[in-house]
Amino acid sequence: MDLLGSRYLAAQPIEEIRCVARTHGGTRCLNRVLAPRKPHGTWRLTTLLPGRPPVLPAVEIAVYDLGHLAHPEQQRWRAQHCPTHALIPEAADMALDDWEIFDLPLHRQHVATRLPVGAQGRHRGRV
């Protein structure tokens, strides 16, 4: 996932990423970060050029790009909040966000070299 100028790996598919905020009832919010009435990212192929040893060949990978979204919307994704909890600055988090900075040698098994397909193809995937 391209977000705020960095590439992240999500712990689960895009459409399953849950809000980490705590509800008034003291439980974790059940809402998804991918919201129907909010702008969505787009899948694209990009060339990844590893820059540190061991030098690996360039790899074309599929990424879910949120870079075209407004900065507040990208911050909402980075905080892993649903649209409702993004509007409540004092909302406490019930869980830690589960993004990892993408590292090709470490995450090679998660690299997709083709865009996702299917009924929800524009969202499916982890990078």
Side-chain angles (χ1 to χ4, degrees):
M1 172 178 307
D2 278 349
L3 174 65
L4 294 171
S6 295
R7 188 156 292 147
Y8 295 91
L9 179 69
Q12 60 273 333
I14 301 296
E15 67 277 2
E16 294 177 20
I17 299 171
R18 283 184 46 208
C19 179
V20 296
R22 180 183 174 142
T23 66
H24 290 296
T27 60
R28 182 176 175 177
C29 177
L30 295 176
N31 294 331
R32 306 282 184 220
V33 176
L34 181 67
R37 292 187 178 93
K38 287 293 198 177
H40 295 155
T42 55
W43 281 100
R44 66 180 175 86
L45 291 174
T46 187
T47 301
L48 182 64
L49 297 170
R52 62 179 189 154
V55 177
L56 302 170
V59 176
E60 190 171 65
I61 65 170
V63 296
Y64 192 68
D65 187 2
L66 296 164
H68 65 281
L69 301 181
H71 190 73
E73 186 65 6
Q74 289 187 60
Q75 288 178 313
R76 179 182 77 77
W77 272 85
R78 179 61 187 96
Q80 203 171 320
H81 285 162
C82 67
T84 301
H85 284 108
L87 297 174
I88 307 170
E90 66 276 2
D93 288 346
M94 181 75 173
L96 296 173
D97 63 53
D98 49 8
W99 308 113
E100 284 185 64
I101 294 291
F102 182 77
D103 181 323
L104 180 59
L106 190 62
H107 299 122
R108 188 170 276 288
Q109 73 273 19
H110 299 294
V111 170
T113 57
R114 290 185 289 190
L115 297 176
V117 294
Q120 296 178 335
R122 67 176 192 222
H123 307 304
R124 298 187 81 74
R126 291 179 52 184
V127 174

